[in-house]
Amino acid sequence: MAKAAALLREGKLVGIPTETVYGLAANALNPEAISSIYAVKNRPSFNPLILHIANAEEAEKYALSIPKLASELMKHFWPGPLSILLPKSDLVPDLVTAGSEKVVLRVPNHPLTLRLLSEVEFPLAAPSANMSNTVSPTSASHVQQGLGEKISYILDGRSTIVGLESTIIEVIGNEIFVLRDGGITREELEKFGEVRQMKSTKQVQSPGQLSKHYSTRKPLLLVEDIEAYISMHPNKIYSVLLFEEKEINATKHLLSKDYDLAEIANNLFGKMREADEDDSEAILVEPIQEVGIGRAVADRLKRASVKN
Ligand code: TXA
Ligand code: MG
């Protein structure tokens, strides 16, 4: 903890655990440190970063104003996988928001990172700790594999417990607009207000919202019926991502034994990596039920897949 804090104070990058995926953290008030996040990840400069803070009180420093409904959501869901887009205060460097007047704030729910956030004197800008357009990391060793050479330190907080990224929302009046589905489901948000899909406009266009993202190196194909697809392509070697136990003539990567959506979400990125490394030519997966956290899983699978 002391080493991570010291390196961050020096403007260095540190891999940090959260409940969703590992982050690549830097002092959010140090523009040079933020630039190195973009450089290390090979991240396009127009794609803004989430500002991670220690608690809801901190939000008042970095947001110019906070709608009543947004502050209710903070009270209820923080710390936790809900990120909120708000008008930014002057304290937030333009590099964090890629020039936007709005900043995304989040209080991650991980004991080590919460301690780290309360120890350092600044908030942490942190995207997922992977190279841009690759599968997000859910363990310290994933971070080591992808970025190990390029970063100073990884704070190992074990495997993440949600397994995919936070839900990003913006509150407008009594409505909650979803910019990215994630760890907090729409069903949970509906208890607080009308939930709508944010139409992607130029302003919010960013790789996390673009159609191709989170890619494996091999093609990942979303197919209606895996068995039928395999029997139509007998000369190909496939691996399959399964949501429940099934008899299938291919290398199996089981995300859950019995279609448990939370378990599927938590295993998704790790199993995508395993399938990427086995001896198959392509990865097959069927569409998932789009309810609860299944919606975020469906979103990541669609954006990891090649259109066929
Ligand atoms: O769970 C998470 O949110 C993880 C952990 C590390 O906290 N972080 C994460 O960061 O997923 P990243 O950078 O991989 O994805 C953040 C998404 C991007 O699609 C980015 O474009 C969007 O949030 N975003 C960040 N700030 C924004 C802003 N000011 N306006 C619009 N979109 C923003
Ligand atoms: Mg990411």
Side-chain angles (χ1 to χ4, degrees):
M1 183 69 57
K3 185 165 176 184
L7 288 165
L8 289 165
R9 287 191 185 103
E10 285 170 31
K12 299 272 172 41
L13 305 186
V14 173
I16 57 163
T18 81
E19 78 282 34
T20 58
V21 301
Y22 271 69
L24 178 61
N27 174 353
L29 306 182
N30 176 342
E32 251 173 78
I34 302 163
S35 307
S36 55
I37 291 182
Y38 287 94
V40 160
K41 276 187 61 108
N42 197 16
R43 183 178 179 99
S45 60
F46 57 80
N47 189 13
L49 306 173
I50 296 178
L51 197 77
H52 294 69
I53 54 179
N55 52 54
E57 291 75 70
E58 291 276 293
E60 286 160 32
K61 287 196 218 160
Y62 304 108
L64 212 52
S65 59
I66 303 175
K68 191 162 157 283
L69 176 53
S71 91
E72 271 171 44
L73 293 169
M74 288 173 185
K75 277 200 197 90
H76 193 267
F77 291 104
W78 282 2
L82 185 71
S83 297
I84 308 182
L85 183 70
L86 294 159
K88 81 174 195 71
S89 78
D90 290 341
L91 287 178
V92 182
D94 288 335
L95 263 179
V96 170
T97 65
S100 168
E101 291 302 309
K102 293 178 184 172
V103 62
V104 173
L105 300 183
R106 142 163 163 81
V107 179
N109 191 12
H110 191 289
L112 289 183
T113 292
L114 283 171
R115 253 173 65 200
L116 183 63
L117 281 166
S118 61
E119 188 155 324
V120 294
E121 306 69 32
F122 40 79
L124 296 174
S128 52
N130 54 315
M131 294 297 287
S132 240
N133 200 33
T134 65
V135 180
S136 300
T138 55
S139 70
S141 61
H142 294 162
V143 181
Q144 177 64 27
Q145 282 159 29
L147 299 174
E149 309 284 283
K150 298 180 175 178
I151 62 178
S152 307
Y153 197 62
I154 303 167
L155 193 57
D156 188 346
R158 308 239 178 123
S159 291
T160 60
I161 55 170
V162 176
L164 45 74
E165 294 85 349
S166 61
T167 301
I168 306 179
I169 59 155
E170 180 173 15
V171 169
I172 303 175
N174 294 322
E175 294 176 331
I176 302 167
F177 286 84
V178 176
L179 283 78
R180 175 177 75 182
D181 282 297
I184 298 295
T185 64
R186 294 188 185 209
E187 288 85 345
E188 289 171 272
L189 293 171
E190 269 159 11
K191 294 173 193 146
F192 296 83
E194 190 92 40
V195 176
R196 300 188 187 284
Q197 174 69 47
M198 179 65 94
K199 296 235 166 49
S200 88
T201 64
K202 275 219 179 60
Q203 229 190 342
V204 296
Q205 258 311 339
S206 55
Q209 295 158 312
L210 290 178
S211 61
K212 184 88 175 112
H213 203 58
Y214 308 105
S215 308
T216 46
R217 289 187 303 270
K218 289 176 195 171
L220 184 146
L221 305 172
L222 259 179
V223 299
E224 283 301 323
D225 181 339
I226 286 179
E227 281 142 309
Y229 193 91
I230 291 178
S231 62
M232 279 177 348
H233 301 84
N235 299 323
K236 280 253 188 183
I237 304 169
Y238 291 112
S239 59
V240 297
L241 301 179
L242 292 178
F243 306 135
E244 59 196 340
E245 195 60 80
K246 243 186 204 180
E247 274 307 311
I248 281 185
N249 188 18
T251 309
K252 295 196 273 185
H253 300 277
L254 202 55
L255 280 66
S256 167
K257 273 207 224 59
D258 51 3
Y259 217 110
D260 177 328
L261 288 174
E263 198 182 0
I264 291 167
N266 199 19
N267 286 322
L268 178 67
F269 290 146
K271 295 294 180 184
M272 278 169 65
R273 282 167 184 265
E274 278 178 24
D276 217 9
E277 273 146 34
D278 70 19
D279 57 5
S280 64
E281 296 162 64
I283 306 163
L284 303 180
V285 59
E286 289 178 0
I288 192 159
Q289 284 172 23
E290 296 194 29
V291 293
I293 201 160
R295 214 177 270 109
V297 174
D299 168 75
R300 303 304 186 274
L301 284 175
K302 276 179 207 154
R303 290 192 282 141
S305 67
V306 292
K307 308 288 167 284
N308 56 335

